[in-house]
Amino acid sequence: MTVVSPATLARAAEALRGMAYEHRLHVLILLRAGEATPTALAEVVPVHVTALSHHLRHLVDAGLVRRRRRGRQVFYSLPDEATVRLVDEVLRFVRDAPRA
């Protein structure tokens, strides 16, 4: 039996909540290809730009996305290779898991 600390469980739950919306997961999938601006993401994700901004804030708060500002431009990206692998594993799970 593996024992996990309450802090680790809380962080894991926060990450999963961050991914728990279709649009947020879509953003994570898009960011696997590299950083993007909110404008570029809004061209692909079928949601109003205000809602997209809300989703991006949740992803940043969950530690799933990094925000970088250059002048007036804002760029979003996945923070590390572990996050890329997490998104890949979620997609693999859905693809490979038997449907109930």
Side-chain angles (χ1 to χ4, degrees):
M1 179 184 310
T2 302
V3 177
V4 179
S5 73
T8 299
L9 284 173
R11 287 200 61 213
E14 182 180 0
L16 291 172
R17 273 192 304 274
M19 298 175 73
Y21 291 87
E22 182 178 334
H23 299 305
R24 292 180 196 169
L25 187 54
H26 194 178
V27 167
L28 292 172
I29 291 166
L30 293 171
L31 292 177
R32 287 172 38 223
E35 70 179 10
T37 64
T39 302
L41 293 169
E43 291 174 1
V44 181
V45 179
V47 66
H48 190 273
V49 70
T50 304
L52 179 63
S53 176
H54 177 79
H55 288 307
L56 286 166
R57 184 171 45 82
H58 278 282
L59 289 167
V60 168
D61 290 348
L64 294 167
V65 168
R66 179 177 44 214
R67 179 182 169 174
R68 175 177 74 84
R69 184 178 285 282
R70 187 171 65 202
R72 295 186 61 159
Q73 193 76 326
V74 177
F75 297 89
Y76 290 90
S77 62
L78 298 182
D80 52 31
E81 187 59 33
T83 308
V84 174
R85 287 193 311 270
L86 175 62
V87 174
D88 288 343
E89 285 301 317
V90 167
L91 294 174
R92 186 174 297 117
F93 172 79
V94 171
R95 185 188 67 227
D96 297 344
R99 294 185 71 85

